[in-house]
Amino acid sequence: MNDKITIFDFDDTYDLQDFYKNSQFKRVDLTNIHGVFGYCDNETLKRLKNIILKEDTSGINFLGSGNYHYMTYLLMQKVDKPFTLVLFDHHTDMMNSLFGNLMSCGCWVKRALDENKMLKKVIIIGVEKKLIDNIDEKYRNRVFCYSEEDIKHNIPWTSFLKDKIDKPIYISIDKDVIGKDEAKTNWQQGILTLEELREIFDFLVDNGEVISVDVCGECSSRDEIVANFYSDSIINSEANKEIIEMVEEERILN
């Protein structure tokens, strides 16, 4: 594995996984930062941003459980040219924040669209269809969804993506988009297979410039009983190995 792996460690979730241990990797210890599980205030967000700015995140970045998916919002701020976010996720992450201006795992995409001038559009793959209807009308010309129902009915994703990949691509993968046989998360999951993920990923690489990749969707040790956490960690480690192989085969990152 030539592509460097960065593990952002909030809660020791990756301790039982071994997908990274035979590769070049760096572990960023965030376990001493409080008030980050699912929600994050502005001061803590700034603290996390300062940490990220000091790190080489040019490889593939692992963010922990989906409760920390808002880390993508910070990582995307390092992109210095117009780009498209391709988000593999069973949710839109475009809700309004439930608690004032707190950043959350459910609103980070909306905030990125509002605040990141380099982010031009978002393509969400595998999202539950009923959640698409809740996207605010003002974002409809910048957010494009290939839904779980599209996957079920074999709607060609090649034609869906072909005319939308016109800028460099940031890819973010939440494993809750993957079916329960191949990944275990703390959230409701979709039906995408790892094979389908690889096929779409390969298409994106062949038809655009991929500038960064991050992955979340681990089972959090905070939400799991011990026995389940152990077995689920093994399944997730295997899924992460496949994702790393997928990225490695394309030789796209520095």
Side-chain angles (χ1 to χ4, degrees):
M1 174 72 184
N2 294 326
D3 301 314
K4 182 179 177 181
I5 299 169
T6 301
I7 304 288
F8 288 99
D9 179 19
F10 285 94
D11 53 15
D12 300 324
T13 290
Y14 291 105
D15 282 0
L16 292 178
Q17 299 193 30
D18 64 1
F19 68 92
Y20 56 92
K21 293 181 179 178
N22 292 323
S23 305
Q24 180 189 3
F25 76 93
K26 180 173 184 179
R27 194 164 186 150
V28 181
D29 185 4
L30 303 174
T31 56
N32 63 335
I33 302 180
H34 303 290
V36 293
F37 190 70
Y39 296 90
C40 186
D41 64 28
N42 286 333
E43 285 303 311
T44 306
L45 200 65
K46 289 177 183 177
R47 185 177 176 188
L48 290 171
K49 180 178 179 179
N50 289 334
I51 292 171
I52 286 174
L53 289 175
K54 296 174 184 176
E55 298 295 334
D56 177 5
T57 56
S58 59
I60 179 169
N61 301 290
F62 286 83
L63 312 180
S65 86
N67 293 290
Y68 308 111
H69 204 169
Y70 60 79
M71 288 285 285
T72 303
Y73 164 90
L74 296 175
L75 287 164
M76 291 193 305
Q77 292 181 4
K78 300 181 76 171
V79 181
D80 60 1
K81 54 187 172 183
F83 71 99
T84 292
L85 168 64
V86 176
L87 174 63
F88 292 87
D89 204 312
H90 195 50
H91 308 86
T92 65
D93 293 352
M94 287 197 62
M95 299 186 301
N96 293 318
S97 178
L98 295 177
F99 303 102
N101 292 322
L102 287 183
M103 172 62 77
S104 79
C105 57
C107 73
W108 66 270
V109 174
K110 180 178 179 294
R111 279 193 55 174
L113 283 165
D114 289 339
E115 299 170 12
N116 191 328
K117 294 181 180 180
M118 294 298 173
L119 176 59
K120 300 305 179 183
K121 72 176 76 166
V122 177
I123 299 170
I124 310 177
I125 297 173
V127 62
E128 191 175 5
K129 188 173 182 180
K130 67 180 182 180
L131 299 178
I132 299 173
D133 296 333
N134 295 329
I135 297 175
D136 192 300
E137 187 68 32
K138 71 178 182 178
Y139 299 103
R140 294 301 176 91
N141 64 338
R142 298 177 64 195
V143 179
F144 306 91
C145 299
Y146 182 82
S147 71
E148 180 181 31
E149 285 70 21
D150 292 332
I151 297 171
K152 284 180 182 177
H153 294 101
N154 296 313
I155 305 300
W157 48 263
T158 50
S159 56
F160 167 80
L161 288 171
K162 190 72 175 180
D163 62 347
K164 297 178 178 64
I165 304 303
D166 56 0
K167 289 180 175 60
I169 306 163
Y170 186 113
I171 296 178
S172 183
I173 302 168
D174 188 331
K175 293 203 297 292
D176 72 7
V177 77
I178 299 168
K180 292 181 180 180
D181 289 341
E182 295 184 297
K184 299 291 185 180
T185 79
N186 300 125
W187 300 88
Q188 181 188 24
Q189 290 182 229
I191 60 170
L192 195 72
T193 66
L194 285 169
E195 181 179 356
E196 289 168 331
L197 174 63
R198 181 186 289 265
E199 290 173 355
I200 299 172
F201 184 89
D202 290 346
F203 179 87
L204 293 171
V205 173
D206 290 343
N207 289 272
E209 174 195 356
V210 176
I211 53 178
S212 193
V213 179
D214 70 45
V215 182
C216 70
E218 311 307 325
C219 272
S220 171
S221 56
R222 295 181 53 166
D223 290 339
E224 287 270 291
I225 62 174
V226 173
N228 287 348
F229 181 55
Y230 179 80
S231 59
D232 290 350
S233 292
I234 293 173
I235 293 171
N236 280 331
S237 187
E238 290 302 312
N240 288 334
K241 284 180 184 177
E242 291 202 33
I243 291 171
I244 287 174
E245 289 172 2
M246 174 182 78
V247 176
E248 181 184 25
E249 284 180 1
E250 296 294 348
R251 305 291 184 195
I252 54 172
L253 300 178
N254 296 325

